[in-house]
Amino acid sequence: MFTPKENGECPSAKEIIALLKRPNKEDVALIEKAYAFAKNAHEGQNRYSGEPYFIHVASVGKNLATINVDAATVAAGLLHDTIEDVGIKPEIIEQEFGKDVMELVQGVTKMSKLKYHGVERHVESLRKFFIAMSKDIRVLLIKLADRLHNIQTLEHVPEASKKRIALETLEIHARLADRFGIAKWKSILEDAAFPYAYPEQYKQVLSIIKNERVADAKYAEKMHHSFQKELAAHGLKAARVDYRVKNLYSFWKKLARKEMDSEKIYDILAIRIVVKTVEECYRALGIIHAHWRPVPGRIKDYIAVPKPNGYRSLHTTIFRGDGGVVEVQILTEEMYTEAQYGIAAHLFYKESGGSSGSIEKNTAWVKELTRWQKEVARSDEFLEHLHMDFFNNRVFVFTPNGDVIDLPEDSSTIDFAYAIHSDIGDHMTGAWVDEKLVTIETKLKNGNVVEIDTKESAHPKRKWLDHVKTSFARQRIQAYLKKTNPAEIAAQEFLNRKK
Ligand code: MN
């Protein structure tokens, strides 16, 4: 049996506030109030672990504070389970904390209500769905912070749910953290989920990496000093050198791509050199190359050409002189900060005063979102809506198997049927929404599970045209009506005869 842990492990309001950059009086007051409110709201509630529930929400608040978000996001993180788990009304939250915080909490609540069926399939549409469901990127950050704590306490969750949660975390949350450029969260999410998602592979990787890591860490210590000496000798006295070891899950993924040959993986261990300016980055690269021979074809300039998630750095792999190789990453302090905070660094860090509510105007965020949407959705219709209100005019619904179908707002079950397959649309007789029989013109709402009844003898009707939103459904219905219209058939036959 589990034993409840000490309350001492619960992050305090002070601790959370201390993590914020330049909080003003209102920020401090907001967080203190949210902290006290959440503590009171979750009083008497426990987690699977037997711990007080409040430890979870305080941890979520702390996670958010570490990536340098605004005070409203941290407050919403503290309050994120108050609507769903303890039935606090959104009006109360708005009254106490304002509209901004309330909307964030509501956004998180809305997302939690949706069920994900069969994560192994259609992860791309699930990711797309996730993004579209959150009007505000801060909602996603709260969801990630929430999952970060949940996955680290997964051992206490009932056995039956573990694997599903672990897979979902790898396929959705870790990838989103990566897209946000929050490298640290990505690693934590992956390594916490890996043993539950793929237990066999986890054990295998553990045994492979064990010796290499130990050897490499010792080597890194030695290398660390030689680098520092060499850089200082060439005038880069302020250079900071440290190293990072690749996380287990990404090591395994790479291993699988390299035919399970760990010799082919050059970046199990990477040495990081942090300097002051971009110019110093290139100078440091020159110094390293002058003393250690680079592996051909392994030099990457992510400063000139940043990665899609914004990551910037110079990468090179050098021969260490003992037959092995090691990756070296050279970056500025600013790039280093960005790699830690990810998108949050763009969102909040550069804004003086750090006021909330200005996110829509932040060009870095809009740019990132645009890039991201391009990547997650390739259909033309999707691309037409690259502005913010895209979120307001799509609905995301599910098939009984859990496939996500995205449709324009006000789409009916007819649109849904045609989106599944033209044959299903053409032979539709009725529809079920959330297990209730409905009329086929019924408009769909986010999260609906839709099932279509069909009969071979059934066919599209003219009045369906009044109830469809998608051009695909419209075209199919019109095509059928044309085909079955006697005058149309006669005309077609006439034309054919003339040929
Ligand atoms: Mn939660």
Side-chain angles (χ1 to χ4, degrees), residues 134-331:
S134 47
K135 284 183 200 164
D136 190 321
I137 202 163
R138 295 176 297 170
V139 171
L140 274 176
L141 291 174
I142 298 168
K143 274 311 273 188
L144 290 184
D146 180 36
R147 181 55 61 106
L148 197 64
H149 185 253
N150 284 337
I151 200 74
Q152 288 175 290
T153 50
L154 191 66
E155 52 172 314
H156 307 291
V157 168
E159 214 53 52
S161 315
K162 276 181 181 160
K163 191 172 173 109
R164 180 187 61 80
I165 295 171
L167 283 169
E168 199 176 86
T169 303
L170 290 177
E171 293 300 343
I172 299 170
H173 302 82
R175 302 250 196 143
L176 288 176
D178 189 32
R179 291 300 298 119
F180 281 132
I182 315 174
K184 211 172 185 174
W185 284 14
K186 175 189 172 266
S187 298
I188 297 172
L189 288 166
E190 285 184 345
D191 279 354
F194 188 22
Y196 298 100
Y198 306 104
E200 287 308 310
Q201 291 87 335
Y202 174 73
K203 273 182 225 148
Q204 193 187 351
V205 166
L206 213 56
S207 65
I208 293 174
I209 209 166
K210 224 174 181 177
N211 300 321
E212 307 221 17
R213 262 198 190 184
V214 173
D216 275 342
K218 268 189 207 141
Y219 171 77
E221 277 301 326
K222 228 170 68 192
M223 203 67 166
H224 173 272
H225 294 295
S226 333
F227 274 26
Q228 203 124 40
K229 222 173 75 192
E230 225 37 81
L231 292 167
H234 289 81
L236 288 180
K237 288 202 175 63
R240 187 156 61 76
V241 184
D242 64 10
Y243 61 91
R244 71 113 181 89
V245 181
K246 202 172 192 62
N247 70 314
L248 285 182
Y249 181 67
S250 55
F251 176 73
W252 173 59
K253 278 208 301 196
K254 207 155 192 179
L255 206 54
R257 281 205 304 273
K258 305 274 182 191
E259 293 112 26
M260 302 307 278
D261 183 359
S262 62
E263 296 277 296
K264 288 183 186 160
I265 301 176
Y266 297 137
D267 62 344
I268 296 172
L269 174 108
I271 296 189
R272 231 164 2 200
I273 300 172
V274 186
V275 293
K276 279 202 191 115
T277 62
V278 170
E279 189 262 317
E280 283 186 359
C281 289
Y282 291 101
R283 259 176 65 205
L285 183 71
I287 295 164
I288 298 300
H289 282 174
H291 291 83
W292 290 271
R293 198 156 59 84
V295 177
R298 297 277 312 165
I299 304 162
K300 291 172 203 152
D301 187 345
Y302 294 121
I303 294 177
V305 186
K307 283 193 184 180
N309 65 4
Y311 176 79
R312 290 183 301 157
S313 174
L314 296 176
H315 284 193
T316 182
T317 303
I318 54 167
F319 291 103
R320 352 192 267 205
D322 60 357
V325 295
V326 66
E327 184 171 289
V328 182
Q329 304 170 352
I330 306 166
L331 65 176

Side-chain angles (χ1 to χ4, degrees), residues 53 56 60 80-81 146 150:
Y53 198 91
H56 167 65
V60 171
H80 83 273
D81 279 328
D146 180 36
N150 284 337

Side-chain angles (χ1 to χ4, degrees), residues 110-111 113-118 122 125-126 129-130 133 395-407 416 420 432-434 444-452:
K110 223 163 96 186
M111 286 177 79
K113 278 203 182 125
L114 297 152
K115 294 236 161 38
Y116 313 106
H117 320 253
H122 309 288
S125 30
L126 271 172
F129 162 77
F130 235 74
M133 281 309 291
V395 286
F396 285 75
V397 293
F398 297 95
T399 69
N401 293 331
D403 299 350
V404 180
I405 307 291
D406 69 318
L407 295 165
F416 176 87
I420 300 292
W432 299 76
V433 172
D434 296 338
L444 298 173
K445 292 197 195 79
N446 266 321
N448 281 160
V449 178
V450 188
E451 202 171 352
I452 302 295

